[in-house]
Amino acid sequence: MNSLELTKHIVKILDDKKADKIEAIKVRDLTIISDYFVIASANNSTHVKALVDEVEFKLKEIGRAPERVEGYQNANWIVLDYNDVIVHVFYEETRNYYNLEKLWADGEKLDITEMLK
């Protein structure tokens, strides 16, 4: 599964679990960190953890485990690092504060409506 296919799969998992404001940004041309960022929010820490748990569970089913997981204890901003795709799941207020979309505004924002079909 290439990085775009993985991104699409993650977006679908998050959408199925009722994540808010899902965005996918291609950052491959801007950084060596990753090819894509997937950003999503939830309105409470329980939902943040549930979203992350579901992504991890579904991707482990296809043989993909994250290299790192950061922020799980606090559940304000949890990062799943799949090397070519980095997933950021935020508590809504934390997302507004850090505003990653603005920080990575030079990246190519993908149309997730196409991914959800």
Side-chain angles (χ1 to χ4, degrees):
M1 179 177 293
N2 69 34
S3 59
L4 180 57
E5 291 169 343
L6 181 60
T7 299
K8 290 177 182 179
H9 192 56
I10 292 167
V11 166
K12 181 75 172 113
I13 293 166
L14 290 168
D15 183 64
D16 288 347
K17 201 72 171 169
K18 307 296 186 221
D20 294 324
K21 301 178 185 171
I22 304 167
E23 293 196 34
I25 304 170
K26 181 180 173 185
V27 295
R28 177 185 304 141
D29 301 329
L30 304 174
T31 182
I32 60 170
I33 295 171
S34 184
D35 291 346
Y36 295 94
F37 284 171
V38 176
I39 304 168
S41 343
N43 54 13
N44 61 60
S45 60
T46 302
H47 191 204
V48 170
K49 286 183 175 182
L51 292 169
V52 167
D53 291 344
E54 186 72 1
V55 170
E56 275 194 275
F57 176 76
K58 294 286 188 182
L59 292 184
K60 281 181 182 173
E61 286 184 329
I62 61 168
R64 295 291 303 256
E67 292 293 320
R68 274 185 307 278
V69 177
E70 298 289 337
Y72 194 85
Q73 292 301 96
N74 293 334
N76 283 323
W77 176 5
I78 301 176
V79 179
L80 297 171
D81 183 353
Y82 289 95
N83 289 325
D84 45 356
V85 180
I86 298 178
V87 183
H88 302 267
V89 181
F90 285 96
Y91 175 63
E92 186 64 38
E93 290 177 12
T94 306
R95 181 177 181 170
N96 292 337
Y97 179 79
Y98 286 101
N99 199 358
L100 286 187
E101 296 88 341
K102 184 176 180 184
L103 183 64
W104 293 97
D106 291 341
E108 179 186 336
K109 192 173 176 181
L110 304 179
D111 182 1
I112 68 160
T113 58
E114 291 298 314
M115 295 179 185
L116 298 175
K117 290 182 179 178

